[in-house]
Amino acid sequence: MSKFNTKFILVTGVSVLLGAILNVLVARQGIHKLSRESTNEIEQGLDQAYREYLTNHLRDTAQHTNSSLAHAYTDLEILADIVQSMVDHDEDLTPLYEQAKTLPFLQDKLVFHEKGGWYENQNDEPTAVAAWGYLGDKEKRVLLPEAQRDIDRTILLDVVMPSFKNRGADKLQIYFVGPPKHPYVRLAPWADMAAEFDRTSPGHNDKNFYEFFFTGLTQGWEAWIKDPGGLEKHKSQVTFWPPYDDASGQGGKIMTIFHPVWTKDRKALAGALGLDLTLTQIVKYIQDVKLKETGFAFLTQSDGNVLAVSEEGAKRLGLQAKAERQGLEYLKRVLKDSNEPQIASIELPKDTKVQYRDNVQIAGEPHILVLQRLAPFNMGGGGDKIVEDTWTIGFVIPKSEIYASLTKAQAAIDTSRTSIQTSQAFVSFGSILVLMAGVFLVSRKMTGALVALSEGATRMRQGDYGVRVAVTSEDEIGQLTGAFNEMAAEIQAHTNNLEELVKARTGELEDANKEIMSLNAQLAQENLRLGAELNVARQLQLMVLPPAQELQEIKDLDIAGYMSPADEVGGDYYDVLRGNGVIKIGIGDVTGHGLESGVLMLMVQTAVRTLLASNETDPTRFLGIVNKVIYQNIQRISSDKNLTLSLMDYSDGKLRLTGQHEEVIVVRASGELERVDTTGLGLPVGMDEDITDFLSNTEIDLASGDVVVLFTDGVTEAERTDTAQYGVERLCEIVSQNHKKTSQEIKDAIIEDLMNHIGTNKVYDDITVLVIKRL
């Protein structure tokens, strides 16, 4: 076996072995990466899907709860409007009240109860009426006249209140409480209210009704009147009272909702409407929310007191229940008292946006917590102030339940990965054995031809270009041998003809170089010619501008002008001419810039000067003829250019303006700023042969010290590096700041501020400014 053969087998074997090992490692890494990426994709998909599901479910739950509460206090607001209207029209309704209390159906047959010391009507009446002992004469056992009068004023509610109780929101009862001085109660449906209070609330007959059951409520309402904005400041007067357990045991957890009724002058309370809203449906709705296996919902007040939660949810949140009693019994389960630290430190939402917290630790296990605040409402029960309060709905669900499918998928992937890696190792080992056997057999056949090629290459390196190698096969080695023979023949032929080829190629390169030098010389001459022509055009354009000496000879006016083309030749035009007893002032802007725009500008200057010399005095005809001449010249040279052009005639303190261009800025000697719009004074020149019908003029009176500034859009549309334009407003500001100076100083101030704005940015358009000041 030759050295080459041995090396070939050794190198091939090592390469195959390393390749197999690397293949196993790469495959293993690929499977790990695939596992990791698929896990991440599944996790992200699950997270997004459950985030959307929980968010939408929470919003639906919040909307259901909001609707339940809104339905109740809408009922209350409607009834409050009715009662308020009765109070406002008390005098008109007095005859009706007097007649109504004689009707058997509406009579309030109040009876004094010796044991309880209170007054109450019979159970066969539409509503229950209860009046406490302090509203009557204890010796005569009759109500005080003023208390009886107040009760009679609500007798018509016997017709209204039962219907409101039976319709609308799920109300336990609805009632009207008299003014703070006489707080009797009219209740629907009829109930033995006073006797029930004797049983559940001892001492209620010895203290004002409001102060015993709803301490601070009336004081909170009365504070509204004292507010600077008065009652109008409060969009809704519906006031909630903290939830409490129904003392009768029939309503479960209830909430009283009040609406104040005011005297006609809105300076005092005439009473209050209230309804006891059973929260059973809302509480049950919250308790019935199921999220995966053990997830749950809860409803809490802004102080963290949890109103509704399932028993299992309360245990999971670590809530501590305690009762408080002040007239009514309240059940408190506050989040901050939780024995779970992260639940005790929860911050409830400050707005109605859904909050998603995905790593809240409860009992050492991460949970997802989703919160949404409900619509705000007025809340009493916090002393003598009524404050804005909000409820919040929360969803709690263990993260392990959401990602349960992900855990199963990861286990399946790990099992598959181990199986694939084992199979791949066996396949790779077997492949190496088969490959090495094949390499050994093939190498023996290959090496003979390769040795012959090696010897032939050695002879060619020594200068024997006539060497040839015999082709012994038709495979790739045979093709390589044939290619070697062809290459040797080509080298032999090129070696023999190399000198002749070098001479021929050298001659071709010399000829091409001469042609390039000739073309470069011609191009340089053409650039010099074009530069000279543009320079002549630029000089001509600047030469026709009015010189400073000519401007200084104009009496009554102080004039200064400035024009700077964006290219070698610009398309802006301005001129100041004298003739026919007037000063003719023109300013225009040809579309685009460059040589063609500059030539059109010279045409305009020539046409204006010619017409002025021909004693044409009518401004409209003057501009119409200029337009006709320019239009015909544009058609002759087949150009698509046109220009905005305004011509002004000044005489005896009056400036007559004709034609469409940019605004004219006028700053009076007093500093007052005027902007004259020229849009309606004409059309662009050169677009149509006859524009006379579209031309009109306006007159500007100039007093001593008044300043007129004309400009082209190259000023207002000049951009700085962040593309912000200079703008008309900034130009007006600079003129106003400098209007007391000479026209030259005003012009210099404008140009200096404009250049500061442009900075290092490129100037894209011609810049022209003309300042005119009456002396």
Side-chain angles (χ1 to χ4, degrees), residues 196-210:
E196 184 65 28
F197 286 159
D198 282 349
R199 184 180 65 83
T200 61
S201 303
H204 72 93
N205 199 29
D206 299 327
K207 194 174 182 181
N208 185 281
F209 177 87
Y210 288 107

Side-chain angles (χ1 to χ4, degrees), residues 692-732:
T692 306
D693 293 339
F694 300 98
L695 298 177
S696 61
N697 53 65
T698 186
E699 196 171 84
I700 303 172
D701 292 327
L702 294 182
S704 177
D706 290 350
V707 176
V708 176
V709 176
L710 310 176
F711 59 93
T712 61
D713 61 4
V715 176
T716 55
E717 295 178 2
E719 296 181 353
R720 62 190 186 197
T721 53
D722 63 355
T723 72
Q725 295 186 345
Y726 186 73
V728 178
E729 289 75 12
R730 183 165 176 175
L731 177 59
C732 291

Side-chain angles (χ1 to χ4, degrees), residues 470-619:
V471 178
T472 60
S473 67
E474 297 181 357
D475 58 10
E476 286 79 1
I477 300 297
Q479 295 175 5
L480 178 62
T481 304
F484 175 83
N485 292 335
E486 292 175 2
M487 180 180 65
E490 290 180 4
I491 291 174
Q492 186 177 21
H494 279 292
T495 301
N496 295 334
N497 300 320
L498 182 60
E499 292 183 0
E500 295 179 3
L501 291 172
V502 170
K503 289 179 180 180
R505 182 61 64 191
T506 302
E508 292 175 0
L509 291 175
E510 289 177 351
D511 293 340
N513 186 48
K514 290 178 181 179
E515 185 176 354
I516 291 172
M517 292 178 66
S518 175
L519 291 174
N520 283 338
Q522 293 177 20
L523 183 59
Q525 290 294 328
E526 184 67 18
N527 284 339
L528 288 173
R529 184 184 66 78
L530 289 175
E533 290 178 358
L534 287 174
N535 188 51
V536 170
R538 178 182 176 88
Q539 293 299 322
L540 285 173
Q541 186 179 35
L542 296 177
M543 286 170 62
V544 299
L545 295 177
Q549 181 179 356
E550 185 177 321
L551 296 177
Q552 292 172 2
E553 294 174 357
I554 298 175
K555 296 180 180 180
D556 200 29
L557 294 179
D558 176 17
I559 304 176
Y562 174 88
M563 187 178 78
S564 176
D567 289 333
E568 290 86 350
V569 181
D572 279 4
Y573 159 77
Y574 85 87
D575 207 351
V576 181
L577 303 169
R578 291 180 292 176
N580 302 326
V582 298
I583 305 300
K584 179 71 72 173
I585 303 169
I587 187 165
D589 185 0
V590 182
T591 54
H593 42 84
L595 182 59
E596 188 176 346
S597 297
V599 171
L600 187 56
M601 172 268 194
L602 291 173
M603 291 180 187
V604 174
Q605 198 274 345
T606 302
V608 172
R609 187 146 202 149
T610 301
L611 282 172
L612 185 64
S614 66
N615 296 323
E616 177 60 57
T617 59
D618 182 77

Side-chain angles (χ1 to χ4, degrees), residues 164 174 205 248 289 405 433 441 453 488 522 524 532 545 571 606 608 624 633 736 774:
F164 270 88
I174 187 167
N205 199 29
S248 66
V289 171
S405 57
L433 294 178
L441 296 175
L453 282 172
Q522 293 177 20
L545 295 177
T606 302
V608 172
N633 278 349
S736 298
R774 186 177 180 192

